[in-house]
Amino acid sequence: MSSNIVTDDGSSPPPPHVVLFPFMSKGHIIPALHLALLFHRHGANVTIFTTPANHPFMSKFLSNTSTNFIDLPFPKINGIPPGVESTDKLPSMALIQPFLSSTILMQEDFEQALKTLPTVTFMVTDMFLGWTLDSASKFGIPRLSFGGCNVFTTIIFEDLILKRPELLLKKKSDEVFENPNFPSIKLTTNHFDTHLFCFKFLSDQLDATSKSYGIIVNSFSELEPRFLEFWNTECKPKAWCLGPLCMAEPQPSQLFGQEEHPWMNWLDTKKESSVLYVAFGSQAEFSKEQTEEIKSGLESSHVNFLWVVRKSENLDEGFEERVKGRGIVVKDWVDQRRILGHESVKGFMSHCGWNSVTESICAKVPILAWPMGADQPLNSIIVVDEIKVGLLVETCDGSMRGFVKGEGLERTVRELMEGEMGKTVRKRVEEVGELAMKAVEEGGSSWINMSELIHQTCVSNNTHVTRTSDDALQI
């Protein structure tokens, strides 16, 4: 759908102006930066709100664009050192609650900055920044919520946290219940964080989302069609699938430069074999006992592996010496998409953060799902049961959050990398990966959705649009 945007007097208006405000966490910031690239690609001007400590990372990522950045002072929080302005930098994840709660203290500075901007077509703010809905309403700006989740997770959260929280708070951890609209999907409280603060906080954010102009989803129509159809038929506001957002950056090298790293050179030596990539995100914390079982399972599996651990993780030197030649441990921030895209990487043991899931799909690498918390248990349902691009790790008690023994890990690792089930999900992820690439191409479902979103928000701001063909929106 090619469109020529004209004002009431027949002249051409300035390009759409989009405000982006991501939550201060790498898992939220990176997809928002990909979203900024897409907005630029569709002819929009972009202003991003951030904080001083997060600015360098973001400006480097978008260095080849004309993005405007506005830094807001980050609130002072008891227990959090000055300069720590992202959840991956927190001294302890026990501080996540005050970190989440404190962002509302940025509202006054945010609104003062909005007064200085040229006309804003719409704003996209993180789901965790629900208070921005009030700011958007004051200025008459359409607000879209962006949480980085898939449609399925959005449906379940809206149903069980916003509408029926008593089900989660009253049921036993192993008691099965279901969403009446999708009875084949069985859930237990193990799929959710049931801490009362989490419930209250998420409920408030979901309520703000429900009153917003729309939701931007890091997914694509072909990935979860029945969930998308249900949401846009039965729920509000409209969900716009614009992903996989990681595909906005086809060659991911801006963040890390062109220099090679030892682990990439090591992967080059494994081109004739298969490597399991192991990474659980920047915030997963394991007990010493669980870490020992991971080591045992990887060592006894005899598969090649690249394991990314937190810098604070203390693995004994004996382990690294014993697996030398077929295993490597990395304690640095890595370019995950480059690793997944390496020809030797044939499997990904993942916590199932949605960014990691979409990156794995786009790289056509099957997943061994080991969810930890947040939306990850629900994401694993999508991975294993719905789109069938992965296997679930084996826990001692069979529950979603159970302890994983070394022998169970060994079995599932070997099945993913060498077994018949592994071959099946590997074939399936090839198919889904192809669909993902087509979705973001010009004329694909996500491209068209972006065009429609810009068109509709321009109309809502009293800019008239005339349509001339069935191609994507051109501005």
Side-chain angles (χ1 to χ4, degrees), residues 13 18 36 56 75 86 115 149 183 230 239 243 306 359-360 410 463:
V18 181
S86 181
K115 293 178 182 178
C149 301
F230 173 82
L306 188 159
E359 288 173 1
S360 199
E410 175 192 350
T463 300

Side-chain angles (χ1 to χ4, degrees), residues 180-219:
N181 301 293
F182 306 104
S184 64
I185 297 175
K186 308 301 180 184
L187 302 171
T188 72
T189 55
N190 277 319
H191 288 88
F192 303 88
D193 290 317
T194 54
H195 189 281
L196 285 176
F197 166 76
C198 293
F199 256 75
K200 179 63 170 65
F201 178 81
L202 283 176
S203 179
D204 290 345
Q205 312 317 305
L206 289 166
D207 182 60
T209 292
S210 72
K211 298 172 183 174
S212 297
Y213 180 85
I215 305 173
I216 289 180
V217 185
N218 185 9
S219 185

Side-chain angles (χ1 to χ4, degrees), residues 254-283:
Q254 295 181 64
L255 279 180
F256 305 91
Q258 298 294 336
E259 73 275 11
E260 285 301 326
H261 297 282
W263 52 90
M264 297 305 298
N265 295 329
W266 181 85
L267 286 174
D268 286 340
T269 69
K270 302 297 180 183
K271 289 182 178 180
E272 302 303 318
S273 54
S274 298
V275 175
L276 175 69
Y277 172 51
V278 183
F280 302 105
S282 59
Q283 295 171 197

